[in-house]
């Protein structure tokens, strides 16, 4: 019943190869991390549906060890929705929030310029949901769904009906982040139902 899986920090080629083979074995489509001078973006999007378009961008601003990674965001259009996977600057090297605010602005401006009604942005924001809510007052069309206000892994969405977000209990301690799952529904308006057949979308963030 899962429609999208988003991975961050998939930097090690041996690990990503295992993921690719797993997706191939079940017939899923997937994106690969954008290569960088030292490390890739580490971002993978996977879905059982066909990916009709992919957009990847690297952030121009960075600080500290984050500059060694090709940090940015990858968006795919699939199943009638725009799904974005993002990894922002580490907050320990951006106390003023200047770099992260600049990075998320690039993401929001990019997705806002696209003619897609249902938008989901998920990943490692390295910024609490509480602080991000304050920033999103500049973008009132976007809302946040999280488990706890101090979490840095959550969902930013637009066009979907209010999602349910929770920690994925079956994953276990395989990372320094908790696996987060959001269950969303397409908007109930007639045009959106016609395009998406009222299908419910499940999104898993690992």
């Amino acid at each position: 019943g899962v429609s999208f899986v988003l991975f961050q920090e998939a930097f090690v080629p041996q690990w990503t190869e295992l993921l690719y083979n797993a997706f191939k074995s079940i017939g899923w489509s997937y994106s690969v991390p954008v290569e960088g001078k030292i490390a890739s973006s580490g971002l993978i999007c996977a879905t059982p549906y066909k990916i009709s378009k992919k957009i990847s961008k690297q952030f121009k601003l960075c600080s500290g060890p984050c500059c060694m990674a090709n940090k940015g965001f990858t968006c795919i259009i699939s199943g009638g929705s725009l799904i974005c996977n993002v990894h922002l600057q580490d907050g320990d090297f951006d106390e003023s929030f200047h770099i992260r605010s600049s990075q998320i602005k690039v993401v929001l401006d990019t997705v806002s310029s696209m003619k897609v009604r249902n938008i989901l942005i998920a990943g490692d924001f390295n910024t609490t949901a509480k602080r991000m809510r304050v920033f999103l007052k500049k973008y009132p069309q976007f809302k946040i769904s999280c488990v706890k206000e101090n979490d840095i892994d959550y969902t930013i969405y637009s066009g979907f009906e209010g999602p349910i977000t929770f920690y994925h209990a079956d994953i276990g301690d395989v990372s320094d982040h908790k696996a987060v799952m959001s269950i969303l529904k397409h908007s109930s308006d007639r045009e959106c139902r016609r395009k998406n057949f009222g299908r419910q979308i499940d999104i898993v963030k690992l």
Side-chain angles (χ1 to χ4, degrees):
V2 174
S3 296
F4 299 98
V5 175
L6 309 179
F7 289 96
Q8 301 83 45
E9 299 186 9
F11 297 125
V12 181
Q14 294 92 325
W15 297 350
T16 55
E17 197 62 35
L18 289 173
L19 292 173
Y20 302 155
N21 289 334
F23 292 137
K24 289 175 184 176
S25 70
I26 57 175
W28 279 34
S29 304
Y30 60 91
S31 67
V32 300
V34 177
E35 292 299 326
K37 293 181 180 179
I38 299 176
S40 71
S41 68
L43 300 175
I44 298 175
C45 305
T47 175
Y49 307 107
K50 180 180 178 181
I51 297 175
S52 59
K53 187 173 183 179
K54 184 182 77 170
I55 301 146
S56 293
K57 289 189 178 182
Q58 180 185 10
F59 297 132
K60 293 181 179 179
L61 290 180
C62 64
S63 178
C66 287
C67 293
M68 293 188 292
N70 196 35
K71 280 194 173 182
F73 63 98
T74 293
C75 300
I76 60 172
I77 296 180
S78 181
S81 301
L82 176 63
I83 309 297
C84 295
N85 191 4
V86 64
H87 191 185
L88 300 187
Q89 167 72 41
D90 187 333
D92 290 341
F93 297 89
D94 181 33
E95 293 184 2
S96 68
F97 192 58
H98 171 69
I99 296 175
R100 284 167 293 166
S101 63
S102 174
Q103 291 175 340
I104 193 63
K105 182 179 185 300
V106 172
V107 178
L108 295 175
D109 287 347
T110 299
V111 300
S112 296
S113 68
M114 304 181 70
K115 295 180 179 179
V116 180
R117 180 180 181 87
N118 296 300
I119 299 172
L120 176 124
I121 306 166
D124 181 357
F125 293 99
N126 275 317
T127 302
T128 65
K130 182 178 180 179
R131 190 171 193 179
M132 187 64 78
R133 286 187 197 279
V134 176
F135 178 81
L136 288 180
K137 289 181 180 179
K138 303 174 185 177
Y139 297 85
Q141 70 270 37
F142 291 98
K143 296 178 176 61
I144 288 177
S145 178
C146 65
V147 182
K148 297 179 180 179
E149 289 295 314
N150 286 328
D151 284 348
I152 62 173
D153 305 286
Y154 42 86
T155 295
I156 297 175
Y157 66 96
S158 176
F160 289 103
E161 294 181 1
I164 300 171
T165 298
F166 52 93
Y167 300 135
H168 197 303
D170 297 334
I171 301 300
D173 297 327
V174 295
S175 170
D176 57 344
H177 295 261
K178 295 187 181 212
V180 177
M181 174 178 278
S182 288
I183 300 177
L184 302 94
K185 290 184 179 180
H186 285 285
S187 173
S188 59
D189 72 89
R190 181 180 299 176
E191 179 65 14
C192 203
R193 284 203 310 270
R194 185 183 68 79
K195 291 182 179 179
N196 300 292
F197 309 104
R199 180 171 50 79
Q200 178 171 294
I201 301 288
D202 293 343
I203 294 90
V204 176
K205 202 292 299 180
L206 295 178

